[in-house]
Amino acid sequence: MRDFLPAEKARRERVLAVIRDRYRAHGFDEIETPVMEEYSRLHAGIGGDNEKLAFNVLARGLDADAIRAAADDPAALTDLGLRYDLTVPLARFYASHRGELPGVFRAIQIAPVWRAERPQKGRYRQFVQCDIDIIGDATARAEAELIAATLDTLDALGLEGGVVRVNDRRVLEWMLSSFGFVEDERPRVLITIDKLDKIGPDGVVRELAERGAAAAAVEAFGEFLRRTSDADAPFGEQQIRGALPDGVPDEIVAHLTGIGDAVAAARPGESRIPVVFDPFLVRGMGYYTGTIFELAHPSVGYSLGGGGRYDGMIGRFLGQDVPAVGFSIGFERIVDLLEGDADAAGRAIVLVHDRDVTVAELVAVKASLVAEGARVRLEQRPKNLKPLLERAAADGYTAFAFVAAGADPSDLEVKPLA
């Protein structure tokens, strides 16, 4: 968990403003949910490994005897927890407010979440998530809207060239079944497949064998992994079928190609659809039921965001299934990628004044500049001016001016800091 000095906080807020602006331009509306949810909801078996990383809140009113009696049962000690993502709270929110929302609801959530991570570069215990979700639309239009909005946002941040890797959990289930993996062992197989980029095909085959997966299925899958395929083929039905074993269900292929066609229509000036089918994209969240995707950028080797369809989650709270799909941008990673402060606060001026300038004069000069749309800071002139100006520049100020007693504000000489 981190503190942010003024310049960094201002930079983060400017990035957030761009994200909010682009999301709203695509028809999404922002909501807010509490930072805490009920323990039972956060530990309902739908959050995957994130449930193990939840910060739980000790129930109020427990005395020492009650704590000792429940020491071996965390659920008896806690009744609330800090949210570890924004999807579980959104599902509860929608179930609570469905009657007040449109039939197809497009939500923005931009807020901090908490996980008991082992801190490292790019991973924090408190971090901001930027989510957009569409609830109530089971068609490929929902995924296409999310992808188009996300790519547009990345472009607006100056990170052109983003690509979305796409797969479908139904494809994974069908593929594993076609190779002979029984249903009970598939979750463990998916965990290993998710390591393909790190350990390669031979490593995947070796780990599957060590885990005791069916030998014939492992051998068939290994042969499939080692086959040659045209990874650079443009996204579409031919590429999807060519990346999978024969016999993939037509309805799944049609759903995926529909997403690509819609994204292509949303970005007509591009020679190539910024979507790539990846049959080995897994994503570990247990609540995904269909399409899954991750946001990639050529400047880095890790994902900048991801999401997928979770049609079964809201039904746990509502009693009936509602189609839902979401995409989350990795805000902390994106902020780290963005260099400089090109969109700093426009006209930002430091007024350096002599000791004998009256408060009334200072406030009048400042007010006139603020009324013109400038950001203004007052500073008394020190003996050594250089450190003051360097700090002002670091804080995002772009210009300075000297204010002397009795001077006419219209004669103010504003000079650039650079």
Side-chain angles (χ1 to χ4, degrees), residues 65-282:
D65 290 337
I67 292 174
R68 280 192 290 268
D72 296 327
D73 182 9
L77 288 171
T78 64
D79 58 356
L80 298 169
L82 293 173
R83 62 192 178 203
Y84 50 72
D85 74 0
L86 297 175
T87 307
V88 174
L90 175 64
R92 191 267 312 151
F93 172 92
Y94 184 82
S96 301
H97 300 280
R98 186 182 186 186
E100 307 162 68
L101 299 171
V104 176
F105 179 50
R106 295 168 176 82
I108 303 170
Q109 285 191 98
I110 298 178
V113 299
W114 292 264
R115 296 178 191 171
E117 294 270 14
R118 178 176 295 177
Q120 53 185 291
K121 182 175 176 56
R123 285 189 177 273
Y124 309 102
R125 289 180 173 175
Q126 176 179 316
F127 56 97
V128 172
Q129 283 193 333
C130 301
D131 287 15
I132 45 175
D133 295 79
I134 298 179
I135 301 175
D137 188 348
T139 71
R141 182 185 73 173
E143 282 93 335
E145 283 195 64
L146 292 172
I147 292 172
T150 299
L151 290 171
D152 183 28
T153 300
L154 210 64
D155 291 346
L157 290 169
L159 294 172
E160 295 89 350
V163 173
V164 177
R165 297 164 58 214
V166 176
N167 197 9
D168 196 302
R169 291 300 288 254
R170 296 170 298 172
V171 165
L172 289 166
E173 289 292 327
W174 169 83
M175 183 167 60
L176 295 185
S177 174
S178 71
F179 287 123
F181 291 105
V182 297
E183 187 171 353
D184 289 346
E185 66 183 351
R186 289 175 200 164
R188 298 190 301 275
V189 173
L190 289 175
I191 291 172
T192 300
I193 292 175
D194 202 24
K195 302 177 184 178
L196 181 62
D197 289 345
K198 297 179 180 178
I199 63 178
D202 292 339
V204 167
V205 170
R206 184 165 52 252
E207 183 169 315
L208 289 175
E210 292 171 354
R211 285 177 175 267
V218 172
E219 182 179 355
F221 185 52
E223 291 179 3
F224 176 73
L225 285 177
R226 297 183 186 99
R227 83 207 186 293
T228 58
S229 62
D230 187 3
D232 292 327
F235 184 86
E237 181 177 356
Q238 183 176 349
Q239 188 230 343
I240 293 169
R241 292 191 183 279
L244 294 168
D246 293 337
V248 58
D250 292 340
E251 65 271 18
I252 300 177
V253 175
H255 182 78
L256 291 170
T257 54
I259 294 171
D261 291 342
V263 172
R267 301 173 70 86
E270 300 187 5
S271 59
R272 188 181 180 96
I273 305 174
V275 179
V276 174
F277 177 66
D278 182 350
F280 305 115
L281 177 64
V282 174

Side-chain angles (χ1 to χ4, degrees), residues 349-363:
I349 304 170
V350 176
L351 293 179
V352 182
H353 62 89
D354 295 329
R355 185 186 298 271
D356 59 348
V357 183
T358 68
V359 172
E361 287 179 302
L362 290 174
V363 172

